[in-house]
Amino acid sequence: MYRYIALAATVALLAEPANAQSNLSPADRAAAFRAGGFKLVGKQWRACGDPGTPSYSPGNMETIRDLNGDGRPEAVITEGGTYCFGMTGTGYTIVSKQADATWKLITASQGIPNFLTTKGANGWPDIEIGGPGFCFPVERWNGKAYVLNRHQYEGKPCRPPR
């Protein structure tokens, strides 16, 4: 129960005003989606290849903010559906605006990202990846990629089930 409340609080903290995408120009928004592997299909940004199941929700920029303190925005894009993301039902993609104004894919995974106060290389926050269960992976930026650092539940170390 506590975990679901914490996840809801995290999503609420991540959520920008209802139209978070308006914080970027239309060109930047499109470039960010494309950098994350999304394609515009009709009026929806899609990446996972869901054939149109009822649980599907297209790409949506949940938040736009500077995650690593470099003065440039990152976008957290979510997409949903059990066809692509199993019981978790959601996936996320993080893209970052670069110094040359292009966008770069940082990481993508199934689950719900919870940005922690602990940090990896270059100021990138550790990400606890939430979903069903009670022992969640925490990934840390090593300067090139987010990699598994530990598992935790409610901030305490745990062992994932085998």
Side-chain angles (χ1 to χ4, degrees):
M1 175 73 169
Y2 172 83
R3 182 67 191 147
Y4 291 108
I5 293 169
L7 284 174
T10 298
V11 170
L13 288 172
L14 284 178
E16 295 289 322
N19 194 6
Q21 297 180 37
S22 68
N23 293 336
L24 296 177
S25 70
D28 261 341
R29 189 173 71 242
F33 273 114
R34 285 189 189 101
F38 287 78
K39 291 184 171 61
L40 189 59
V41 178
K43 294 185 177 190
Q44 297 179 337
W45 288 99
R46 295 173 162 257
C48 84
D50 186 294
T53 61
S55 70
Y56 180 72
S57 59
N60 180 47
M61 284 192 191
E62 290 293 324
T63 189
I64 300 163
R65 66 180 178 144
D66 182 1
L67 291 172
N68 64 347
D70 67 358
R72 295 185 301 270
E74 279 74 45
V76 179
I77 304 169
T78 60
E79 187 176 30
T82 54
Y83 180 86
C84 295
F85 304 109
M87 286 181 52
T88 303
T90 190
Y92 69 91
T93 301
I94 300 172
V95 293
S96 178
K97 190 164 188 179
Q98 303 298 291
D100 66 1
T102 62
W103 286 83
K104 176 182 175 184
L105 174 66
I106 300 301
T107 191
S109 180
Q110 85 177 38
I112 301 165
N114 178 17
F115 298 99
L116 305 176
T117 57
T118 53
K119 298 188 182 300
N122 306 322
W124 285 94
D126 289 353
I127 303 173
E128 179 185 58
I129 303 170
F134 297 100
C135 189
F136 303 103
V138 175
E139 293 186 346
R140 176 171 283 172
W141 183 254
N142 67 9
K144 294 184 181 186
Y146 269 97
V147 296
L148 182 65
N149 178 262
R150 64 189 181 276
H151 286 83
Q152 68 181 36
Y153 179 68
E154 296 181 351
K156 296 181 177 122
C158 61
R159 298 178 109 194
R162 292 182 180 223

